[in-house]
PDB file of all heavy atoms in Angstrom:
ATOM      1  N   SER A 423      -5.507 -28.440 135.639  1.00  0.00           N
ATOM      2  CA  SER A 423      -6.834 -28.614 136.242  1.00  0.00           C
ATOM      3  C   SER A 423      -7.695 -27.400 135.948  1.00  0.00           C
ATOM      4  O   SER A 423      -7.190 -26.296 135.743  1.00  0.00           O
ATOM      5  CB  SER A 423      -6.724 -28.768 137.763  1.00  0.00           C
ATOM      6  OG  SER A 423      -6.603 -30.111 138.152  1.00  0.00           O
ATOM      7  N   TRP A 424      -9.003 -27.614 135.945  1.00  0.00           N
ATOM      8  CA  TRP A 424      -9.972 -26.524 135.831  1.00  0.00           C
ATOM      9  C   TRP A 424     -10.763 -26.453 137.132  1.00  0.00           C
ATOM     10  O   TRP A 424     -11.191 -27.486 137.674  1.00  0.00           O
ATOM     11  CB  TRP A 424     -10.897 -26.764 134.646  1.00  0.00           C
ATOM     12  CG  TRP A 424     -10.203 -26.575 133.319  1.00  0.00           C
ATOM     13  CD1 TRP A 424      -9.576 -27.529 132.577  1.00  0.00           C
ATOM     14  CD2 TRP A 424     -10.036 -25.333 132.613  1.00  0.00           C
ATOM     15  NE1 TRP A 424      -9.038 -26.976 131.443  1.00  0.00           N
ATOM     16  CE2 TRP A 424      -9.311 -25.637 131.437  1.00  0.00           C
ATOM     17  CE3 TRP A 424     -10.438 -24.016 132.835  1.00  0.00           C
ATOM     18  CZ2 TRP A 424      -8.976 -24.658 130.493  1.00  0.00           C
ATOM     19  CZ3 TRP A 424     -10.101 -23.051 131.909  1.00  0.00           C
ATOM     20  CH2 TRP A 424      -9.384 -23.373 130.748  1.00  0.00           C
ATOM     21  N   TRP A 435     -13.111 -28.138 142.280  1.00  0.00           N
ATOM     22  CA  TRP A 435     -12.334 -28.795 141.244  1.00  0.00           C
ATOM     23  C   TRP A 435     -13.258 -29.488 140.255  1.00  0.00           C
ATOM     24  O   TRP A 435     -14.184 -30.206 140.652  1.00  0.00           O
ATOM     25  CB  TRP A 435     -11.387 -29.815 141.854  1.00  0.00           C
ATOM     26  CG  TRP A 435     -10.623 -30.562 140.829  1.00  0.00           C
ATOM     27  CD1 TRP A 435      -9.553 -30.111 140.108  1.00  0.00           C
ATOM     28  CD2 TRP A 435     -10.877 -31.877 140.358  1.00  0.00           C
ATOM     29  NE1 TRP A 435      -9.128 -31.073 139.230  1.00  0.00           N
ATOM     30  CE2 TRP A 435      -9.928 -32.167 139.365  1.00  0.00           C
ATOM     31  CE3 TRP A 435     -11.839 -32.843 140.669  1.00  0.00           C
ATOM     32  CZ2 TRP A 435      -9.892 -33.386 138.696  1.00  0.00           C
ATOM     33  CZ3 TRP A 435     -11.806 -34.060 140.019  1.00  0.00           C
ATOM     34  CH2 TRP A 435     -10.840 -34.321 139.036  1.00  0.00           C
ATOM     35  N   MET A 436     -13.020 -29.256 138.966  1.00  0.00           N
ATOM     36  CA  MET A 436     -13.895 -29.797 137.927  1.00  0.00           C
ATOM     37  C   MET A 436     -13.285 -30.998 137.201  1.00  0.00           C
ATOM     38  O   MET A 436     -13.940 -32.031 137.005  1.00  0.00           O
ATOM     39  CB  MET A 436     -14.169 -28.725 136.866  1.00  0.00           C
ATOM     40  CG  MET A 436     -14.809 -27.466 137.370  1.00  0.00           C
ATOM     41  SD  MET A 436     -14.924 -26.238 136.074  1.00  0.00           S
ATOM     42  CE  MET A 436     -16.134 -26.993 134.976  1.00  0.00           C
ATOM     43  N   ALA A 437     -12.044 -30.840 136.749  1.00  0.00           N
ATOM     44  CA  ALA A 437     -11.430 -31.858 135.900  1.00  0.00           C
ATOM     45  C   ALA A 437      -9.944 -31.555 135.782  1.00  0.00           C
ATOM     46  O   ALA A 437      -9.493 -30.448 136.084  1.00  0.00           O
ATOM     47  CB  ALA A 437     -12.066 -31.867 134.514  1.00  0.00           C
ATOM     48  N   ARG A 438      -9.196 -32.559 135.356  1.00  0.00           N
ATOM     49  CA  ARG A 438      -7.776 -32.348 135.077  1.00  0.00           C
ATOM     50  C   ARG A 438      -7.371 -33.161 133.863  1.00  0.00           C
ATOM     51  O   ARG A 438      -7.996 -34.175 133.538  1.00  0.00           O
ATOM     52  CB  ARG A 438      -6.906 -32.711 136.284  1.00  0.00           C
ATOM     53  CG  ARG A 438      -7.004 -34.146 136.770  1.00  0.00           C
ATOM     54  CD  ARG A 438      -6.146 -34.310 138.003  1.00  0.00           C
ATOM     55  NE  ARG A 438      -6.373 -35.576 138.715  1.00  0.00           N
ATOM     56  CZ  ARG A 438      -5.488 -36.565 138.768  1.00  0.00           C
ATOM     57  NH1 ARG A 438      -4.342 -36.462 138.134  1.00  0.00           N
ATOM     58  NH2 ARG A 438      -5.759 -37.663 139.460  1.00  0.00           N
ATOM     59  N   LEU A 447      -9.407 -36.745 133.777  1.00  0.00           N
ATOM     60  CA  LEU A 447     -10.257 -37.216 134.858  1.00  0.00           C
ATOM     61  C   LEU A 447     -11.225 -36.103 135.221  1.00  0.00           C
ATOM     62  O   LEU A 447     -10.860 -34.923 135.167  1.00  0.00           O
ATOM     63  CB  LEU A 447      -9.409 -37.591 136.078  1.00  0.00           C
ATOM     64  CG  LEU A 447      -8.490 -38.798 135.895  1.00  0.00           C
ATOM     65  CD1 LEU A 447      -7.387 -38.802 136.933  1.00  0.00           C
ATOM     66  CD2 LEU A 447      -9.305 -40.095 135.996  1.00  0.00           C
ATOM     67  N   TYR A 448     -12.444 -36.494 135.613  1.00  0.00           N
ATOM     68  CA  TYR A 448     -13.491 -35.517 135.901  1.00  0.00           C
ATOM     69  C   TYR A 448     -14.086 -35.739 137.285  1.00  0.00           C
ATOM     70  O   TYR A 448     -14.215 -36.873 137.752  1.00  0.00           O
ATOM     71  CB  TYR A 448     -14.621 -35.636 134.873  1.00  0.00           C
ATOM     72  CG  TYR A 448     -14.242 -35.256 133.468  1.00  0.00           C
ATOM     73  CD1 TYR A 448     -13.631 -36.182 132.623  1.00  0.00           C
ATOM     74  CD2 TYR A 448     -14.491 -33.978 132.974  1.00  0.00           C
ATOM     75  CE1 TYR A 448     -13.264 -35.840 131.331  1.00  0.00           C
ATOM     76  CE2 TYR A 448     -14.145 -33.626 131.678  1.00  0.00           C
ATOM     77  CZ  TYR A 448     -13.534 -34.562 130.859  1.00  0.00           C
ATOM     78  OH  TYR A 448     -13.181 -34.225 129.582  1.00  0.00           O
ATOM     79  N   VAL A 458     -12.594 -31.555 128.720  1.00  0.00           N
ATOM     80  CA  VAL A 458     -11.297 -30.889 128.731  1.00  0.00           C
ATOM     81  C   VAL A 458     -10.432 -31.500 127.631  1.00  0.00           C
ATOM     82  O   VAL A 458     -10.566 -32.680 127.291  1.00  0.00           O
ATOM     83  CB  VAL A 458     -10.597 -31.007 130.096  1.00  0.00           C
ATOM     84  CG1 VAL A 458     -11.383 -30.235 131.168  1.00  0.00           C
ATOM     85  CG2 VAL A 458     -10.418 -32.458 130.509  1.00  0.00           C
TER      86      VAL A 458
END
Side-chain angles (χ1 to χ4, degrees):
Chain A
S423 269
W424 289 92
W435 177 76
M436 301 174 68
R438 60 183 168 111
L447 293 161
Y448 294 84
V458 294

